[in-house]
Amino acid sequence: MVMTAQGRLPRHTPAEDHPLPRTPREFFESLPPTLHLRAEIIDGNLVLSPSGSPQHARIARRLSRALIPVEDENDWESFSGDVDICIEGPRDIAVPDYCLVRMNAPLWGDREILSSGLVMAAEVVSPGSKKMDHTVKPGIYAACGIPIMLIIDPVASPPMITVLSDPEDGTYRTTTRTEMGKPVRIPAPVDFELDTSIFL
């Protein structure tokens, strides 16, 4: 389930002590660090979603482990659903389920990696995130120039892997869909053949 908010503080917080945020960005910055929801700003809206299931986290972790040779070869690093990405331009905030990042990628403040530092973003689809992962986020990631997006969809029938690449004018020009369990080529700059049977 995904909830959206336009900027309200909890009722127990006195307004005179903490002025109400005026924008989704200000609301995002006012959230406590211990919040157990994923908070993103997508198209100017604050989107709160619950933490992923164990299967969801397992898939992201297996992708991370599979790409360790790519990280080592290129001096990159990766994160599995635990860093905020500042989308340059609108300053929206996305939290990919996995991202491959250039070492020492530029930051926005001390909390967010700037999107220009990403090599690849991946999303693991859950029943409540189909539209976001298949329709909304590809446009966001392509618009800010992230070279590759990977969509791992274990809830499709049959389960599928989609590789999006060649971003231009807010869209990925190249799409490759592969049934989960078969190998799929992730193009340059990653340049890696992924055995997707690791997700089954």
Side-chain angles (χ1 to χ4, degrees):
M1 181 175 70
V2 175
M3 300 178 292
T4 63
Q6 290 293 331
R8 292 192 304 271
L9 285 176
R11 290 184 183 175
H12 65 270
T13 303
E16 60 273 15
D17 295 340
H18 301 282
L20 290 174
R22 294 176 304 219
T23 66
R25 178 77 198 191
E26 290 177 357
F27 185 83
F28 173 84
E29 291 173 347
S30 74
L31 294 173
T34 56
L35 186 74
H36 294 293
L37 293 171
R38 174 175 293 192
E40 301 176 285
I41 299 177
I42 304 296
D43 290 336
N45 295 300
L46 183 66
V47 178
L48 301 177
S49 53
S51 301
S53 67
Q55 181 197 24
H56 191 275
R58 187 178 298 119
I59 288 173
R61 180 67 184 137
R62 287 179 180 175
L63 175 63
S64 179
R65 288 171 57 191
L67 291 176
I68 286 174
V70 175
E71 291 183 50
D72 292 344
E73 182 180 341
N74 293 283
D75 197 26
W76 293 338
E77 59 186 339
S78 67
F79 302 92
S80 298
D82 51 5
V83 296
D84 297 334
I85 304 301
C86 178
I87 303 300
E88 292 171 75
R91 286 180 50 210
D92 283 355
I93 298 101
V95 185
D97 291 316
Y98 168 89
C99 59
L100 191 56
V101 179
R102 293 177 181 86
M103 195 68 71
N104 301 317
L107 302 178
W108 176 269
D110 60 1
R111 181 173 172 172
E112 301 160 39
I113 298 173
L114 287 173
S115 56
S116 59
L118 270 69
V119 177
M120 183 175 83
E123 299 292 348
V124 180
V125 180
S126 58
S129 72
K130 289 180 184 179
K131 180 179 179 183
M132 183 69 70
D133 293 341
H134 280 287
T135 305
V136 179
K137 283 195 171 179
I140 291 169
Y141 293 157
C144 66
I146 297 173
I148 299 167
M149 180 183 181
L150 187 66
I151 303 171
I152 304 169
D153 191 345
V155 299
S157 183
M160 298 293 290
I161 307 291
T162 303
V163 180
L164 303 170
S165 58
D166 302 322
E168 185 176 290
D169 297 328
T171 189
Y172 285 106
R173 295 181 299 164
T174 303
T175 301
T176 303
R177 289 187 177 87
T178 304
E179 188 173 334
M180 193 178 292
K182 298 178 180 179
V184 64
R185 190 78 192 174
I186 303 176
V190 176
D191 195 22
F192 183 79
E193 186 162 294
L194 177 66
D195 176 7
T196 69
S197 67
I198 62 173
F199 304 131
L200 295 175

